[in-house]
Amino acid sequence: NGTNYFELSGSNIYRSTGNVGIGTTIPGYQLDLQNIARAQMRIKSNATSGDGDATLIIDSSQIGESDIDFMHDGVLNWRLRTGDASGTNFQIRDQNDACAFAIKQDGNVGIGTTTPGATLDVAAQHGEIALPMVHFRSNRDSNSNGDGNVLKLETGGDRSDVEIFECVSPAGSRFVVKANGDVTVPGGPL
């Protein structure tokens, strides 16, 4: 309509205030992309030689976090986050913005903790303790019907014994550490 909404400075154009909408007349963000079928954004390097990287840079201030939110109809499903200071960890956060998975700068990985103290640190809150905290298994099909290779680390319902190794078929514990320190190997010598 002939109105100039952008300023020109050398080869750059800019807008100092307000929001810009593509596919919407009421943008809610500084850059708001909307489309009925599928909203898309592309970052592409057209380099024909050399490095040719395509980079998306998310740079927060020193007191803020850098987040990528995955939402459905305006409701948070998952959030990728780096902390609010240099050297902090990378986190995957759930729909309640609680940390579900963290990787520290030193390479330690935490599940259920933001401060993993080991290469793999799994922490569960008290609650349903009859379920395993860590469960590795090999299934013969996609229906979780397995007949071998299972490693479980779990506490029993009374928070006493820790079952270290269990084989699905034939079923039964193979190695148990009791709360009093006794070790048993059911059906076999120790």
Side-chain angles (χ1 to χ4, degrees):
N1 63 9
T3 305
N4 185 6
Y5 292 104
F6 291 90
E7 300 292 328
L8 180 63
S9 175
S11 60
N12 299 319
I13 62 168
Y14 69 93
R15 181 174 172 85
S16 57
T17 61
N19 297 334
V20 174
I22 299 175
T24 178
T25 58
I26 49 170
Y29 302 92
Q30 289 170 320
L31 178 59
D32 196 343
L33 307 174
Q34 296 186 27
N35 191 311
I36 292 173
R38 178 172 43 182
Q40 296 177 312
M41 183 174 70
R42 179 177 181 178
I43 300 172
K44 182 179 186 309
S45 169
N46 286 323
T48 57
S49 64
D51 210 353
D53 293 340
T55 303
L56 173 65
I57 298 172
I58 300 174
D59 186 3
S60 67
S61 67
Q62 285 202 305
I63 58 171
E65 290 92 7
S66 295
D67 293 344
I68 298 176
D69 290 349
F70 297 91
M71 304 178 82
H72 182 74
D73 286 336
V75 177
L76 179 66
N77 284 333
W78 290 99
R79 171 173 285 153
L80 302 181
R81 168 174 285 172
T82 60
D84 57 6
S86 63
T88 58
N89 56 20
F90 170 81
Q91 300 174 6
I92 299 176
R93 302 177 74 82
D94 66 17
Q95 69 274 13
N96 298 314
D97 202 25
C99 182
F101 182 87
I103 304 173
K104 285 179 61 174
Q105 294 286 335
D106 63 8
N108 287 354
V109 174
I111 299 174
T113 178
T114 60
T115 56
T119 303
L120 177 61
D121 191 343
V122 180
Q125 299 294 321
H126 293 294
E128 181 51 68
I129 60 170
L131 299 174
M133 284 178 54
V134 180
H135 190 175
F136 301 97
R137 66 178 157 190
S138 173
N139 296 321
R140 67 175 183 234
D141 60 34
S142 61
N143 296 318
S144 295
N145 295 318
D147 59 357
N149 306 335
V150 174
L151 171 63
K152 271 189 187 179
L153 304 176
E154 66 180 329
T155 57
D158 60 0
R159 297 186 185 176
S160 58
D161 301 340
V162 177
E163 187 172 39
I164 302 296
F165 182 75
E166 179 183 86
C167 187
V168 173
S169 178
S173 299
R174 295 298 183 247
F175 186 81
V176 177
V177 178
K178 298 284 189 181
N180 64 6
D182 291 346
V183 176
T184 61
V185 181
L190 178 59

